[in-house]
């Protein structure tokens, strides 16, 4: 069953229904970044099972705001994706606008009108994580998460950088590739609450240069160069909304996949990894794919929510998507363990002010 799109709608002040057009000849900045090639370097491994993640129930953030299912209007669909299985847009009322226009099972939304970083920290991030933990998303295929917050709290640019840099590894471990779409231009001649164009540019520059694991999508300069139309100075008409959406898809499709020697197939209850050149199933080994590593057992079945023990004694943990965890704590069997930068479980050392013993458990 298709996962339902999530939106929290918050009443905003009424705005004028005026329409204005703007077009300024500004050069488009090329979006930077790219996929990282991942090596192997893992030893032969044996398996030990474990499934200690808390089940996620009905959505709701407990803040009194309703979680509404908002079907798309069917005005336009997502173009074919090159190598992403799913796309999630995270944002404010402008992202809600995109949701209203898109009806495609490959695209989901976590968005709330009139909101910013405090909303995302309070409830948006939990909704995003629950979406990623749903059955549709627990696959080895990569997902794109596109953030587009900031127009309502431009002054918080440094807080955005700090929080998202801390959050990025957790999302990467859930098989996500991260993007930040620029805060897009406004028409201050008719907008109810003016936003300084300089503040928007400063915010965008911070997102572009200071976010460590994000690819930047420069829709701001694209719209300045190509033109845009608003309905109230802040929100865009249907044509501009579609233009933004199509440009974003074009940008994420332009990135080259890092791994061409793996083909995934879902059969029965399991995912299997194939060598596309020979048709052989990979077995009893680590498989590198899109910057992550996945373990397949002697039958070729991808392991999930499991500890993998290498011949050296090092232990690694693979999550619900099958990707091995790095640089974060994991809770299994009621105990916390820390997975280091290389994925190996830490032992006999201090981590973040806590000591982990010889079995790796936090004391």
């Amino acid at each position: 069953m298709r996962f339902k799109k999530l939106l929290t709608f918050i009443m905003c002040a009424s705005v004028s229904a005026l329409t204005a057009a703007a077009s300024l000849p500004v050069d488009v900045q090329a979006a930077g970044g790219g996929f990282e090639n991942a090596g192997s370097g893992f030893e032969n491994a044996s398996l030990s099972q474990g499934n200690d993640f808390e089940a996620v129930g009905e959505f709701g953030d407990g803040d009194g705001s309703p979680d509404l299912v908002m079907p798309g209007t069917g005005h336009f669909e997502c173009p074919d994706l090159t190598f992403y299985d799913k796309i999630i847009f995270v944002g404010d009322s402008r992202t809600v606008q995109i949701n209203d226009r898109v009806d495609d099972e490959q695209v989901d939304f976590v968005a709330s009108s009139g909101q910013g970083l405090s909303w995302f920290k309070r409830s948006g991030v939990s909704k995003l994580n629950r979406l990623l933990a749903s059955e549709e998303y627990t696959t080895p295929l990569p997902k794109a998460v596109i953030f587009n917050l900031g127009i309502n709290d431009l002054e918080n640019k440094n807080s955005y950088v700090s929080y998202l840099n801390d959050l990025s590894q957790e999302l990467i471990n859930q098989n996500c590739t991260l993007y930040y779409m620029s805060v897009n231009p406004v028409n201050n001649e008719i907008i109810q609450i003016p936003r300084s164009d300089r503040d928007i540019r400063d915010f965008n520059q911070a997102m572009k240069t200071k976010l460590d694991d994000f690819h930047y999508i420069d829709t701001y300069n694209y719209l300045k160069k190509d033109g845009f139309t608003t309905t109230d100075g802040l929100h865009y008409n249907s044509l501009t909304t579609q233009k933004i959406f199509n440009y974003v898809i074009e940008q994420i499709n332009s990135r080259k996949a890092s791994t061409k020697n793996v083909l995934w197939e879902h059969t029965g209850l399991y995912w299997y990894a194939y060598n596309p050149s020979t048709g052989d199933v990979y077995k009893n080994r680590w498989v590198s794919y899109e910057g992550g590593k996945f373990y397949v057992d002697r039958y070729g079945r991808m392991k999930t929510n499991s500890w993998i023990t290498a011949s050296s004694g090092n232990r690694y943990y693979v999550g619900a998507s099958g990707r091995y965890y790095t640089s974060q704590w994991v809770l299994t069997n009621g105990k916390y363990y820390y997975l280091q930068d290389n994925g190996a479980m830490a032992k006999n050392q201090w981590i973040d002010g806590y000591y982990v013993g010889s079995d790796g458990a936090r004391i």
Side-chain angles (χ1 to χ4, degrees):
M1 179 182 296
R2 177 188 170 194
F3 194 91
K4 295 181 179 179
K5 301 176 183 177
L6 298 176
L7 285 173
T8 303
F9 287 93
I10 298 177
M11 294 299 293
C12 299
S14 61
V15 294
S16 172
L18 297 173
T19 301
S23 178
L24 298 175
V26 180
D27 292 337
V28 178
Q29 299 174 1
F35 288 107
E36 177 184 357
N37 288 316
S40 180
F42 278 79
E43 306 103 320
N44 292 328
S46 60
L47 299 175
S48 60
Q49 292 291 99
N51 189 340
D52 304 286
F53 286 89
E54 183 178 352
V56 177
E58 294 297 323
F59 282 79
D61 49 42
D63 63 0
S65 59
D67 292 340
L68 302 179
V69 176
M70 183 65 181
T73 61
H75 289 187
F76 50 88
E77 296 183 356
C78 179
D80 290 338
L81 299 177
T82 302
F83 40 77
Y84 288 115
D85 180 43
K86 294 280 189 178
I87 300 176
I88 305 173
F89 283 85
V90 178
D92 45 46
S93 58
R94 289 167 156 188
T95 304
V96 171
Q97 278 192 296
I98 298 175
N99 176 77
D100 290 347
R101 298 292 181 179
V102 175
D103 186 14
D104 195 292
E105 63 182 14
Q106 290 181 288
V107 187
D108 284 301
F109 295 83
V110 176
S112 183
S113 296
Q115 299 301 310
L117 181 61
S118 61
W119 161 80
F120 183 70
K121 293 167 68 174
R122 183 179 68 252
S123 60
V125 67
S126 63
K127 295 174 184 178
L128 175 60
N129 280 325
R130 291 180 182 182
L131 181 58
L132 291 170
S134 66
E135 184 177 355
E136 282 188 271
Y137 279 82
T138 52
T139 76
L141 305 178
K143 294 86 183 167
V145 180
I146 303 163
F147 287 83
N148 187 221
L149 291 163
I151 190 62
N152 296 308
D153 53 352
L154 295 168
E155 70 281 1
N156 287 337
K157 59 181 182 293
N158 292 330
S159 296
Y160 271 97
V161 169
S162 176
Y163 180 76
L164 291 177
N165 279 338
D166 287 343
L167 178 67
S168 61
Q169 190 60 54
E170 177 184 336
L171 296 178
I172 290 170
N173 283 343
Q174 296 180 78
N175 219 20
C176 298
T177 301
L178 306 178
Y179 294 86
Y180 209 100
M181 187 206 312
S182 62
V183 171
N184 292 322
V186 299
N187 184 342
N188 277 318
E189 293 183 3
I190 62 171
I191 197 171
Q192 188 177 42
I193 303 176
R195 272 78 163 179
S196 163
D197 196 56
R198 179 175 179 177
D199 288 345
I200 293 176
R201 293 197 307 269
D202 287 347
F203 183 95
N204 287 338
Q205 184 66 13
M207 299 305 106
K208 180 179 180 180
T209 60
K210 296 181 179 180
L211 289 177
D212 297 332
D213 297 305
F214 286 73
H215 306 291
Y216 182 70
I217 302 177
D218 191 0
T219 44
Y220 173 89
N221 277 312
Y222 166 66
L223 292 175
K224 284 281 193 174
K225 179 180 180 180
D226 201 62
F228 62 92
T229 302
T230 73
T231 58
D232 57 9
L234 176 64
H235 301 99
Y236 302 111
N237 70 352
S238 178
L239 182 61
T240 299
T241 300
Q242 181 171 2
K243 182 190 295 187
I244 293 169
F245 179 75
N246 288 344
Y247 183 79
V248 169
I249 301 303
E250 176 186 327
Q251 292 300 302
I252 67 173
N253 274 343
S254 69
R255 304 200 178 280
K256 296 180 180 179
S258 63
T259 308
K260 299 295 185 182
N261 63 339
V262 177
L263 177 66
W264 290 97
E265 180 176 321
H266 189 260
T267 303
L269 300 176
Y270 300 99
W271 283 91
Y272 296 85
Y274 292 83
N275 183 324
S277 299
T278 65
D280 295 334
V281 178
Y282 290 117
K283 297 180 180 180
N284 202 34
R285 57 167 287 178
W286 290 96
V287 175
S288 296
Y289 184 74
E290 293 299 333
K293 295 186 185 298
F294 305 79
Y295 193 81
V296 290
D297 65 15
R298 60 179 177 171
Y299 303 107
R301 301 174 302 191
M302 184 189 76
K303 304 305 295 183
T304 60
N305 297 331
S306 302
W307 285 103
I308 312 297
T309 303
S311 58
S312 65
N314 285 337
R315 302 186 73 202
Y316 305 86
Y317 193 83
V318 293
S321 70
R323 184 176 179 134
Y324 83 131
Y325 281 10
T326 63
S327 306
Q328 78 171 70
W329 292 96
V330 62
L331 175 63
T332 70
N333 294 324
K335 297 181 179 180
Y336 284 95
Y337 301 83
Y338 188 78
L339 290 313
Q340 302 174 91
D341 292 348
N342 65 355
M345 182 189 71
K347 295 187 291 185
N348 299 319
Q349 59 182 289
W350 289 93
I351 304 289
D352 297 336
Y354 298 95
Y355 190 79
V356 292
S358 59
D359 63 350
R362 191 170 79 185
I363 298 175

